[in-house]
Amino acid sequence: MLTYFVTEPQERLDIAIEQLRDQMVTLGTEYGFLHPDVQQASRKLDQLLLQYYALQRKQ
């Protein structure tokens, strides 16, 4: 069994990812998922997820 330790930067990323995901869903529900604001939030979320996965690989 592998034990993972959550680092402070990882915690911040977790929170930012969840907040942005919630924001994107709210915007998508209100404006439709093809709205530019939703697409921008999606791109930002992609960047955060890439950072998160990069941290995971370093551990």
Side-chain angles (χ1 to χ4, degrees):
M1 177 178 186
L2 295 174
T3 303
Y4 291 99
F5 295 98
V6 178
T7 62
E8 190 173 318
Q10 187 176 353
E11 285 182 44
R12 283 192 222 136
L13 269 176
D14 286 342
I15 293 167
I17 288 168
E18 289 304 317
Q19 289 174 340
L20 192 52
R21 184 179 290 147
D22 289 343
Q23 177 187 4
M24 187 178 71
V25 169
T26 300
L27 288 169
T29 302
E30 186 172 342
Y31 299 118
F33 288 99
L34 296 178
H35 190 275
D37 290 347
V38 179
Q39 296 298 310
Q40 181 180 7
S42 178
R43 285 189 295 276
K44 288 180 182 178
L45 182 58
D46 288 344
Q47 290 298 318
L48 290 178
L49 289 170
L50 288 172
Q51 291 175 30
Y52 180 86
Y53 295 137
L55 280 176
Q56 292 293 316
R57 280 185 289 197
K58 290 181 182 179
Q59 296 179 355

